[in-house]
Amino acid sequence: MRRAGRTGVAVGILGTGSYLPERVVTNVDLLALVPDADPEWVSRKTMIEARRFAAPDEAASDLAARAAQAALRRAGVTAAEIDYIIVSTSTGDSPQPPTSNLVQHTIGATGAACFDVNAVCAGFVFALSVANGLVQARPDALVLVIASDVYSRILDFGDRRTAVLFGDGAGAAVVGRVPDGYGIIDLELSSRGDANDLIHVKAGGSRLPASPQTVADGDHYFRMNGRGVREFVATGVPPALDDLLRRNEFKADDVDHFVPHQANGIMLQELVESAGLQDAHTHLTLPWYGNVGSASLPVTLDDAAHNGSLRDGELVLLAGFGGGMSLGACLLRWGRG
């Protein structure tokens, strides 16, 4: 377990943004791709009604750049003012160069140092923790944190258990110094390498390079042990959230807003109950966008920030969890002062 409480300057979110591709794929539309995915079954089992799929000429960096530009506008800063760009993705444009470098070029952030992180669906909070550290070390720095995933490119549409869950999109946040009393209070990160087989893409790396055989065997598709993931969330996430709150002298009913990774609607209902967060406003974009990988948390945070839900000074709890297995939680006081 890795903890990163506030030790120096106050660091917070100055502006958020998101981008969802234009193509809407409803549960009825999905039947053309996944013939045994009965729309009523998908809705009942997942609470997902639709998702967005990227256009053929859109890749992770394109979605990320659009979300980044929205976040910059809302933060009132220019790309030239950004010092660091961190992109969280497990579906980057290519193995190299880093997707963040492509985003830098697209948006014109020529002075920014760039790198990617991959903690799958927990990646946005992991990236946020790095941004927090960068601003702690250099208080005048501005960090652009982006999560972008294009899962439609790695789904096996013959497997309805996974193919119905995911969509494409990107979310972003500009991170920098805020007045005391606002911003990130504490973060909690954890990893369970022993559970690495619960979510994986088998081929395409140095262990099993791409070949005609790996393509024929379907080894480049996303695979997930749904039951194992559900158990990981049920047993691992509530204690981590409780620990984060307690060591900062808060209780679950002190939380005003809960913004979780949008994994599965039924799973999230169970998580809210077991974590004691029934009094918090749990934000969901899952019904319209599905599970957007690491982007689902910042997309949902952006939705909450711009629909009038989040108010100055309210306590917000973020929770991301996914492949690795990894967990990232962040407690913050909303507002810029």
Side-chain angles (χ1 to χ4, degrees):
M1 203 73 73
R2 293 291 181 266
R3 304 177 176 93
R6 177 175 293 172
T7 57
V9 302
V11 180
I13 293 174
L14 306 179
T16 62
S18 60
Y19 173 72
L20 286 304
E22 291 184 6
R23 182 186 174 191
V24 178
V25 180
T26 67
N27 292 341
V28 173
D29 297 331
L30 199 63
L31 278 171
L33 299 170
V34 190
D36 63 343
D38 174 68
E40 188 278 331
W41 177 88
V42 175
S43 179
R44 176 168 48 85
K45 288 290 187 180
T46 70
M47 293 178 61
I48 298 170
E49 301 294 341
R51 69 285 295 148
R52 301 291 184 92
F53 281 0
D57 61 347
E58 286 183 315
S61 69
D62 301 308
L63 276 56
R66 296 284 292 271
Q69 288 162 339
L72 290 169
R73 286 194 302 271
R74 288 165 180 162
V77 301
T78 66
E81 295 176 271
I82 295 297
D83 299 287
Y84 303 96
I85 298 174
I86 308 172
V87 171
S88 165
T89 185
S90 54
T91 57
D93 288 30
S94 61
Q96 49 181 294
T99 298
S100 55
N101 287 61
L102 303 177
V103 175
Q104 181 216 46
H105 178 64
T106 299
I107 68 174
T110 55
C114 309
F115 57 97
D116 294 357
V117 299
N118 182 2
V120 194
C121 296
F124 178 74
V125 179
F126 273 66
L128 195 60
S129 73
V130 176
N132 178 57
L134 290 170
V135 180
Q136 293 286 349
R138 183 181 154 192
D140 64 338
L142 291 173
V143 186
L144 182 55
V145 178
I146 314 165
S148 180
D149 273 310
V150 187
Y151 269 83
S152 64
R153 302 282 161 77
I154 60 171
L155 293 177
D156 178 359
F157 289 105
D159 177 10
R160 76 168 184 171
R161 296 169 302 174
T162 58
V164 302
L165 295 173
F166 293 89
D168 306 333
V174 177
V175 177
R177 187 171 186 171
V178 294
D180 289 341
Y182 291 90
I184 294 170
I185 298 169
D186 200 357
L187 297 116
E188 176 121 353
L189 310 178
S190 66
S191 300
R192 281 276 310 279
D194 61 304
N196 67 84
D197 60 337
L198 294 181
I199 297 175
H200 65 275
V201 176
K202 187 175 181 180
S206 60
R207 177 73 63 186
L208 189 61
S211 70
Q213 190 62 52
T214 63
V215 173
D217 292 342
D219 290 334
H220 296 269
Y221 287 132
F222 173 91
R223 304 295 182 191
M224 179 173 68
N225 178 335
R227 180 171 296 180
V229 171
R230 195 165 186 164
E231 182 178 345
F232 169 84
V233 173
T235 60
V237 178
L241 299 182
D242 182 63
D243 186 41
L244 175 63
L245 289 167
R246 282 191 300 106
R247 70 169 179 263
N248 290 284
E249 302 182 343
F250 292 108
K251 303 184 297 296
D253 56 13
D254 293 320
V255 176
D256 297 300
H257 300 274
F258 181 45
V259 185
H261 166 53
Q262 308 287 295
N264 173 298
I266 304 303
M267 181 190 296
L268 291 179
Q269 287 181 337
E270 295 171 349
L271 174 59
V272 167
E273 182 77 22
S274 58
L277 291 166
Q278 298 92 328
D279 290 339
H281 181 167
T282 297
H283 294 270
L284 297 177
T285 54
L286 182 90
W288 308 281
Y289 303 141
N291 181 340
V292 198
S294 66
S296 76
L297 198 161
V299 163
T300 305
L301 180 63
D302 180 56
D303 181 75
H306 295 100
N307 68 17
S309 295
L310 303 184
R311 298 183 183 277
D312 190 78
E314 289 186 319
L315 194 64
V316 180
L317 178 62
L318 313 179
F321 40 86
M325 295 293 286
S326 298
L327 163 66
C330 176
L331 187 65
L332 61 92
R333 185 71 67 184
W334 189 256
R336 296 176 58 175

